[in-house]
Amino acid sequence: MLKIKTPKTQRAKRALDNRAPKIVENAKKTLILHGTKTSGVVNAVLMQIYHMKRDNAVKYTKKNENIRPFESGGETSLEFFSLKTDCSLFVFGSHSKKRPNNLVLGRMFDHHIYDLVEVGVDNFKSTETFGYDKKLTPRIGSKPFFAFIGEGFESVEELKQLKEVLLDLFRGEVVENLNLAGIDHVFVCTAVSPTTVFFTHCALRLKKSGTLVPRMELVEVGPSMDLVIRRHRLPNDSVKKEATKTTSDQLKKKIKNVSSDIVQGKIGRIYIPDQKAGSIPLSNDIKGLKRERREAKKSKRAQETGENEAKKQKTCSDDHKLIGN
Amino acid sequence: MESEKFQVDLGNLMAFDPAHHFESIPSSREELTKACLEKGTELVQAIANVLFALPSTEDRDGPIVRLPQPTTKLPREKHFPKPKPPTKWELFAKTKGIKPRKKGKRAFDEQTGAWKRLHGYDRVNDDKDIPIIEAKLTDEPGEDPFSKRKAEKKKRVEKQEKNRLGNLKQAAKAGALPSHIQLAATALPITGTRTDVPRKSSKEELENVAGMAATATASGGKFDRKLSGEKPLKHAGKHRKFLPVVEGKGMSSQEQKQTAKILEQLMSRSSNDILDVKKAVTIFNVKKEKKRKMEKDRERSSTASKLKPKKQSLKKSSKKH
């Protein structure tokens, strides 16, 4: 009655395995979409966010009238899109008289809504309006710096959540090795008041200083806006616990070439590279000859190999002479 | 600068200044941006100080530094992979203490006298390599041993597939189905039995059910406000056919036909005989007669010229090319 469906090609299998739950996860992808009505500001903001996150973001162009993240039934479409595109972050833009220039930033856990933050965008300035040296433009995919200023980020609940969400949204891949030459840009967020955050994106210029550490200079490059917190939804406690679980690092590392025996204890395996006995050059020290001859031969050989001359064949008469002596 | 202690998360390249607060919100926008950039520069410098102090390896693109793990805990996007429950064989092997044996890549084939691979093309112990099967005392004459072998193999393979399905169902129950495998229902379950796989209602099914629910109102769903996109009822109108009280000339007795049909069904169900040929023949003949009579009546009463041949106009058309 049940049929086992397996992918027919290896490529499909690899794609499915990539989307499966793993111990070490992939970088989170972002879904950018908008509702029935948007303003020019909202469109510009969504476009800029998409350009900043080009590699791991998906932007939908259609209007979605049945998505209402804060209502109980209005999230099914979002969850379906998240499942289809394998995105666990989303940015939903809309505009209405009650909530002008609205952005809903949300996260998903297991393709179900984890938490939401609704912000309004004020005083938006897009990248085009900033004049700067084009050589400083940050590259797509470079790891950004973050600067959070203000005690509000610690004391006010909504700002704490916004800090986490902004970090998640813009940090990109978690890497172990970082190239110091690729430090490009920084996101500066200042808690101006318990409800507003001034958000700006700057390029970094590293200047020579006396020490090893270069002097940092910030040049405003990207979009800058005021985010006004409107509504928010915190995650359920049980879901939160599930999502913030971690395993010990021991499970990740597998030590190879080490085994243990009851008799001998811990045994290791060493792999030696191939010796290539046939192509090792012979030594110049020929032990069969007497000392003067040996040393003469050694120096002569060394001379010959140094000047790249052809080797002379030893004649039989020479050997006879030696034996006689 | 050292007096202000920032919280630096090096794994995320983040710095947080919890001690800063605006005494007075700067009046103009430029002042605000300037103040924020100043503060930002301080924070970024603090991160860079720690970053450049890490031991770096030289690469052709630039110095590479090993970042520590990020300290801010951000939620995962998917749950942890759940461990697979042990399969039936694994449980059995554990109780009996059977350890897995390592097999070599090739095995010696007795039939052909060559070293062959264990599975796949040109394998060891293949059925098609056996030229002769010697008869045993227990063999029945007239039985094909080759087809018997094939049938046994087929049975073994089916049994194995069944076990595999059972193992996968157990894994699906525990939520640990391998990511590239999906279990799909091929047929509807028998009513009253449990389903192992949650059945996904198809679009048509849901539409039908919605339609049925909609007509379950007092006025049969006629005056309900329809949602946008809701399709009209499929079987709108009457669901029972009532026979006319007065029958017209051309129709044979419909009531008679209806009662005859019901009677037939009752009789056939209650009769225990397998088939009464005489009865079947008479029923068939009666039906045929009735049908012929009906057609004759229809023919006689029809006034339409549907069955008459079309009259070809012999007049030449006035239009000339």
Side-chain angles (χ1 to χ4, degrees), chain A residues 1-7 13 16-17 19-23 25-29 86 88 107-111 114 123 143-151 153-154 163-164 167-168 171 174-181 183 186 188 190-192 198 200 202 204 206 212-218 220 224-226 242-247, chain B residues 7 9 11-22 25-26 29 32-33 35-37 39-41 43-45 47-49 51-53 56 59 61-70 72-82 161 164-165 168-169 178-190 193-197 228:
Chain A
M1 219 162 61
L2 284 176
K3 196 171 65 158
I4 302 171
K5 277 166 71 170
T6 45
K13 180 172 182 285
L16 281 173
D17 280 338
R19 294 198 170 187
K22 295 187 253 194
I23 296 180
E25 293 186 315
N26 303 337
K28 290 192 186 180
K29 289 202 327 198
D86 197 30
S88 49
R107 292 186 285 187
M108 302 266 195
F109 179 71
D110 262 352
H111 303 294
Y114 178 73
N123 302 324
K143 200 151 168 70
F145 277 63
F146 287 93
F148 288 98
I149 309 163
E151 60 184 2
F153 281 120
E154 213 173 36
K163 174 170 172 258
E164 258 192 41
L167 192 62
D168 231 343
R171 77 170 165 166
V174 179
V175 284
E176 226 179 55
N177 300 323
L178 180 73
N179 188 353
L180 292 177
I183 294 175
V186 61
V188 182
T190 322
V192 175
F198 172 64
T200 182
C202 308
L204 281 179
L206 286 79
L212 279 169
V213 183
R215 199 158 55 88
M216 296 289 183
E217 202 183 288
L218 267 66
E220 251 199 304
S224 92
M225 54 188 115
D226 275 352
E242 178 82 35
T244 48
K245 256 203 280 190
T246 47
T247 49
Chain B
Q7 291 175 13
D9 176 4
N12 280 327
L13 296 178
M14 182 184 84
F16 171 44
D17 179 14
H20 178 87
H21 53 268
F22 281 103
I25 298 172
R29 192 104 188 127
L32 176 67
T33 46
C36 292
L37 285 190
K39 248 343 217 149
T41 321
L43 287 178
V44 173
Q45 194 66 55
I47 309 175
N49 289 339
L51 194 63
F52 281 82
S56 70
D59 198 38
D61 295 324
I64 295 201
V65 137
R66 229 184 119 100
L67 290 177
Q69 289 283 323
T72 26
K73 266 198 173 183
L74 290 168
R76 287 172 60 92
E77 61 170 348
K78 291 176 188 144
H79 60 268
F80 268 112
K82 299 205 179 92
E161 275 301 308
R164 179 177 172 224
L165 186 62
L168 286 174
K169 278 203 236 177
S179 52
H180 53 273
I181 295 178
Q182 279 176 304
L183 290 177
T186 49
L188 290 175
I190 307 165
T193 55
R194 280 184 299 119
T195 35
D196 292 309
V197 164
S228 63

Side-chain angles (χ1 to χ4, degrees), chain A residues 180-208:
Chain A
L180 292 177
I183 294 175
D184 260 1
H185 56 149
V186 61
F187 289 99
V188 182
C189 313
T190 322
V192 175
S193 78
T195 52
T196 38
V197 171
F198 172 64
F199 173 86
T200 182
H201 178 223
C202 308
L204 281 179
R205 191 190 275 154
L206 286 79
K207 288 206 153 156
K208 265 205 228 282

Side-chain angles (χ1 to χ4, degrees), chain B residues 111-272:
Chain B
Q111 284 290 327
T112 46
W115 286 88
K116 292 194 174 175
R117 70 192 69 169
L118 288 167
H119 311 285
Y121 174 76
D122 194 26
R123 59 176 173 265
V124 148
N125 289 335
D126 201 357
D127 271 350
K128 62 180 182 168
D129 285 334
I130 304 172
I132 299 169
I133 300 178
E134 290 178 17
K136 291 192 284 216
L137 287 170
T138 49
D139 272 347
E140 283 179 28
E143 221 178 49
D144 184 11
F146 294 99
S147 51
K148 213 169 99 168
R149 275 179 79 97
K150 268 197 189 168
E152 273 175 19
K153 177 162 186 191
K154 200 163 171 211
K155 264 196 352 207
R156 269 182 279 136
V157 169
E158 270 176 31
K159 178 174 179 286
Q160 177 54 33
E161 275 301 308
K162 206 173 79 143
N163 287 345
R164 179 177 172 224
L165 186 62
N167 287 330
L168 286 174
K169 278 203 236 177
Q170 283 294 328
K173 236 205 272 191
L177 198 61
S179 52
H180 53 273
I181 295 178
Q182 279 176 304
L183 290 177
T186 49
L188 290 175
I190 307 165
T191 28
T193 55
R194 280 184 299 119
T195 35
D196 292 309
V197 164
R199 213 181 87 203
K200 272 171 133 184
S201 311
S202 70
K203 194 171 160 191
E204 290 89 41
E205 261 183 55
L206 283 173
E207 274 180 4
N208 287 339
V209 169
M212 279 194 265
T215 50
T217 54
S219 49
K222 261 210 304 195
F223 302 108
D224 289 340
R225 211 184 314 149
K226 278 215 167 60
L227 295 168
S228 63
E230 204 182 320
K231 293 198 187 125
L233 279 180
K234 283 210 183 130
H235 302 290
K238 294 188 218 164
H239 291 268
R240 282 186 70 187
K241 187 178 175 198
F242 292 107
L243 297 170
V245 175
V246 177
E247 280 182 29
K249 245 204 281 187
M251 297 183 251
S252 62
S253 174
Q254 282 184 352
E255 205 178 331
Q256 255 186 22
K257 271 208 283 194
Q258 195 185 48
T259 45
K261 191 166 148 199
I262 297 168
L263 201 69
E264 254 177 57
Q265 285 180 359
L266 283 172
M267 297 296 278
S268 66
R269 219 178 275 173
S270 63
S271 69
N272 285 327

Side-chain angles (χ1 to χ4, degrees), chain A residues 17-284:
Chain A
D17 280 338
N18 194 25
R19 294 198 170 187
K22 295 187 253 194
I23 296 180
V24 177
E25 293 186 315
N26 303 337
K28 290 192 186 180
K29 289 202 327 198
T30 312
L31 179 64
I32 303 175
L33 30 55
H34 57 92
T36 331
K37 191 160 165 226
T38 50
S39 60
V41 172
V42 169
N43 283 335
V45 172
L46 293 178
M47 204 44 143
Q48 304 253 297
I49 295 178
Y50 178 58
H51 281 313
M52 280 200 278
K53 295 187 55 107
R54 206 48 187 280
D55 279 336
N56 54 1
V58 176
K59 185 167 191 290
Y60 280 177
T61 45
K62 269 172 75 162
K63 297 187 183 185
N64 303 293
E65 62 172 19
N66 52 356
I67 293 184
R68 287 169 225 277
F70 279 93
E71 283 171 37
S72 63
E75 16 186 74
T76 42
S77 248
L78 262 179
E79 293 180 355
F80 175 71
F81 290 146
S82 155
L83 189 66
K84 276 290 163 179
T85 55
D86 197 30
C87 289
S88 49
L89 291 164
F90 69 87
V91 179
F92 178 75
S94 64
H95 177 81
S96 70
K97 211 148 150 203
K98 189 173 172 188
R99 291 180 233 274
N101 298 336
N102 203 24
L103 275 185
V104 180
L105 311 168
R107 292 186 285 187
M108 302 266 195
F109 179 71
D110 262 352
H111 303 294
H112 294 300
I113 291 202
Y114 178 73
D115 68 352
L116 302 162
V117 177
E118 187 177 53
V119 286
V121 175
D122 278 340
N123 302 324
F124 173 69
K125 283 175 83 178
S126 83
T127 324
E128 287 90 39
T129 55
F130 289 101
Y132 56 92
D133 188 9
K134 294 300 171 193
K135 279 186 260 179
L136 292 172
T137 331
R139 311 261 289 276
I140 293 174
S142 61
K143 200 151 168 70
F145 277 63
F146 287 93
F148 288 98
I149 309 163
E151 60 184 2
F153 281 120
E154 213 173 36
S155 52
V156 184
E157 208 181 78
E158 290 110 334
L159 290 186
K160 250 199 296 193
Q161 194 188 4
L162 183 66
K163 174 170 172 258
E164 258 192 41
V165 171
L166 285 174
L167 192 62
D168 231 343
L169 198 61
F170 291 112
R171 77 170 165 166
E173 262 191 74
V174 179
V175 284
E176 226 179 55
N177 300 323
L178 180 73
N179 188 353
L180 292 177
I183 294 175
D184 260 1
H185 56 149
V186 61
F187 289 99
V188 182
C189 313
T190 322
V192 175
S193 78
T195 52
T196 38
V197 171
F198 172 64
F199 173 86
T200 182
H201 178 223
C202 308
L204 281 179
R205 191 190 275 154
L206 286 79
K207 288 206 153 156
K208 265 205 228 282
S209 74
T211 58
L212 279 169
V213 183
R215 199 158 55 88
M216 296 289 183
E217 202 183 288
L218 267 66
V219 177
E220 251 199 304
V221 154
S224 92
M225 54 188 115
D226 275 352
L227 302 173
V228 181
I229 301 221
R230 289 183 183 151
R231 292 184 283 183
H232 75 119
R233 190 200 286 183
L234 291 170
N236 282 343
D237 278 330
S238 55
V239 182
K240 188 170 178 184
K241 225 165 64 166
E242 178 82 35
T244 48
K245 256 203 280 190
T246 47
T247 49
S248 58
D249 280 335
Q250 262 194 348
L251 285 172
K252 292 183 212 168
K253 294 287 178 188
K254 214 167 105 174
I255 306 168
K256 291 174 110 176
N257 297 327
V258 171
S259 60
S260 65
D261 202 9
I262 310 167
V263 176
Q264 290 164 319
K266 198 170 177 186
I267 312 172
R269 270 196 200 183
I270 304 173
Y271 291 91
I272 309 172
D274 197 18
Q275 272 187 330
K276 290 202 189 68
S279 47
I280 298 174
L282 295 172
S283 73
N284 290 323

